[in-house]
Amino acid sequence: MFPSSPARLRRLLPVTAIALLLGACDSKHPEEEKAPAPNVSVETVRVQPLAISSELSGRIQAPRIAEVRARVAGVVLKREYREGSDVKQGDVLFRIDPAPFQADFDSARATLAKAEATRYQARLQDQRYAELIEINAVSRQDRDNARAAMMQADADIAAAKAAVERARLNLGYATVTAPISGRVGRALVTEGALVGQNESTPLAIIQQLDPIHADLTQSTREINALRRALRAGELQQVGQDQAKVTLIQDDGTPYPLAGKLLFSDISVDQSTGQITLRSEFPNPDLDLLPGSFIRVRLEQAVQPQGISVPQQAILRDSAGQPRVLLVDAEQRISERAVTLGSAQNNRWIVSDGLAPGDRVVTEGLQHVKAGDPVQITASAAGDQPIVQTTGQ
């Protein structure tokens, strides 16, 4: 039996502590294992043709607007059309009481008949006096009077015919017809209304809706910048017949039918400093209504060599400056400032800062920083169709 005195226990404690310390050292690895490099996706920058377009605002305008008015005075007897319907040129819209105009027409015809009878009598007398003057049976004065009477009768006939034509026109104006084909709006008068008293009373409005115009405005500053770039050879002109015109609907989706550019105005609005451009769109379903505010993307030029990157590849520093992360030849991350143009189709146009062949990080940006080694899991070339836009 060993004594269990306090002195012996004190001699054994240092030996136990050393053994425990050596055991703990043996349980540790010589060096900690390194974490694997994070995975990122990249897109290789490439140069490709870039369509330069401007997103302009404007309003829908009807190509033809006819304000139907009463051309004669009278009481409206009947409205012949259904409000909001489509009408064709020549369709009857209103009927004005024709009784007074019919009476005027009959009176004018009677006056014409009287004038014709008077001319008949004057012609016979002129013929007789022509024979009598040969044998000196009448004076030359009587002969001249007979000829003048016949000429006066001819003039009365012409005036009577003009009066008949005027009366016939007024009688026709009592039936109000559509001057153009289109969609007619609400009636501005009702049956029993007295119209045309000292003024041409408006009755209805007809508007042509298919095709329909979109009048756009663009600032002279943008137009001048575009012209300078074209003169410098940085851009190529797009012909008017080849210009692509896309209407952007209220929900942001493009209008399914493409339009065309008709013309650009030659004068500048002095109050706004803008120029009006007119485009035309098919409107078979009448989805586009006059007066509507719209946005139109108008292709105006082509940049032969352009660069773009996905929108998610752009980072912003504390000052709001755009930057991108690149993967270099050593598979390490580097950071570079870029200059952006406009965004279109989920891509940013890069006007400065990138060159063909650069590998831009598009996914996994939140897990890496400059100097970190990475592994590339996916790589793609920026070959999507790009359109650059310039806003007002």
Side-chain angles (χ1 to χ4, degrees), residues 332-353:
R332 289 185 176 274
I333 295 293
S334 62
E335 188 174 345
R336 187 181 300 174
V338 294
T339 302
L340 300 180
S342 299
Q344 182 65 28
N345 295 337
N346 298 321
R347 298 180 72 85
W348 279 108
I349 309 302
V350 179
S351 56
D352 188 30

Side-chain angles (χ1 to χ4, degrees), residues 59-360:
R59 290 193 180 276
I60 296 296
Q61 300 287 347
R64 302 173 69 192
I65 301 176
E67 194 175 62
V68 182
R69 290 179 175 267
R71 304 177 69 175
V72 291
V75 176
V76 177
L77 295 182
K78 188 177 182 181
R79 171 172 58 84
E80 298 285 357
Y81 74 95
R82 181 172 57 86
E83 293 176 309
S85 63
D86 293 327
V87 296
K88 294 183 179 180
Q89 183 177 2
D91 287 353
V92 177
L93 303 180
F94 294 91
R95 295 190 185 276
I96 298 175
D97 185 5
F101 308 111
Q102 183 65 54
D104 292 342
F105 178 68
D106 295 340
S107 175
R109 291 180 63 184
T111 302
L112 175 60
K114 181 180 179 181
E116 289 175 341
T118 302
R119 184 181 65 173
Y120 176 75
Q121 181 182 11
R123 185 173 68 252
L124 291 178
Q125 186 175 7
D126 179 66
Q127 291 174 353
R128 285 194 298 266
Y129 276 39
E131 295 173 355
L132 294 174
I133 196 65
E134 297 295 334
I135 60 175
N136 295 323
V138 295
S139 66
R140 185 171 294 275
Q141 181 64 47
D142 292 338
R143 170 72 178 84
D144 292 340
N145 291 341
R147 174 58 59 88
M150 190 187 70
M151 296 175 63
Q152 180 66 45
D154 289 339
D156 291 342
I157 288 289
K161 287 182 176 179
V164 169
E165 182 63 20
R166 169 61 66 181
R168 185 186 66 80
L169 289 174
N170 289 338
L171 181 59
Y173 292 154
T175 302
V176 182
T177 60
I180 64 172
S181 298
R183 174 155 293 191
V184 61
R186 64 181 180 87
L188 303 179
V189 297
T190 60
E191 291 82 356
L194 179 62
V195 298
Q197 290 294 105
N198 301 323
E199 62 179 5
S200 54
T201 308
L203 305 179
I205 296 178
I206 302 175
Q207 300 185 75
Q208 179 182 310
L209 301 179
D210 184 28
I212 202 163
H213 289 165
D215 286 351
L216 316 171
T217 55
Q218 187 173 25
S219 67
T220 54
R221 176 182 56 82
E222 293 180 3
I223 293 178
N224 292 334
L226 182 63
R227 289 173 178 170
R228 287 192 294 268
L230 290 170
R231 293 190 185 104
E234 299 173 2
L235 302 177
Q236 295 178 355
Q237 180 70 50
V238 175
Q240 178 172 307
D241 296 337
Q242 302 173 348
K244 184 178 180 181
V245 184
T246 304
L247 188 146
I248 309 301
Q249 300 183 105
D250 294 340
D251 57 359
T253 60
Y255 185 66
L257 302 176
K260 62 180 179 179
L261 181 65
L262 296 183
F263 68 87
S264 174
D265 207 347
I266 59 175
S267 60
V268 179
D269 189 325
Q270 297 181 3
S271 60
T272 62
Q274 295 181 327
I275 293 179
T276 299
L277 297 88
R278 171 162 289 178
S279 57
E280 183 181 83
F281 290 88
N283 192 28
D285 298 327
L286 305 184
D287 294 329
L288 306 177
L289 298 178
S292 302
F293 180 82
I294 46 91
R295 292 182 296 123
V296 172
R297 187 177 299 126
L298 173 62
E299 183 178 311
Q300 294 180 294
V302 174
Q303 184 177 355
Q305 295 183 338
I307 293 176
S308 69
V309 296
Q311 289 187 357
Q312 68 269 19
I314 300 298
L315 300 175
R316 302 277 179 174
D317 58 18
S318 58
Q321 298 300 318
R323 297 178 177 274
V324 295
L325 298 182
L326 304 177
V327 178
D328 58 22
E330 299 179 355
Q331 300 293 90
R332 289 185 176 274
I333 295 293
S334 62
E335 188 174 345
R336 187 181 300 174
V338 294
T339 302
L340 300 180
S342 299
Q344 182 65 28
N345 295 337
N346 298 321
R347 298 180 72 85
W348 279 108
I349 309 302
V350 179
S351 56
D352 188 30
L354 292 179
D358 288 341
R359 295 185 294 179
V360 178

Side-chain angles (χ1 to χ4, degrees), residues 50-54 226 235 238 298-303 386-390:
L50 189 68
I52 307 299
S53 64
S54 300
L226 182 63
L235 302 177
V238 175
L298 173 62
E299 183 178 311
Q300 294 180 294
V302 174
Q303 184 177 355
I386 306 300
V387 177
Q388 180 177 351
T389 61
T390 58

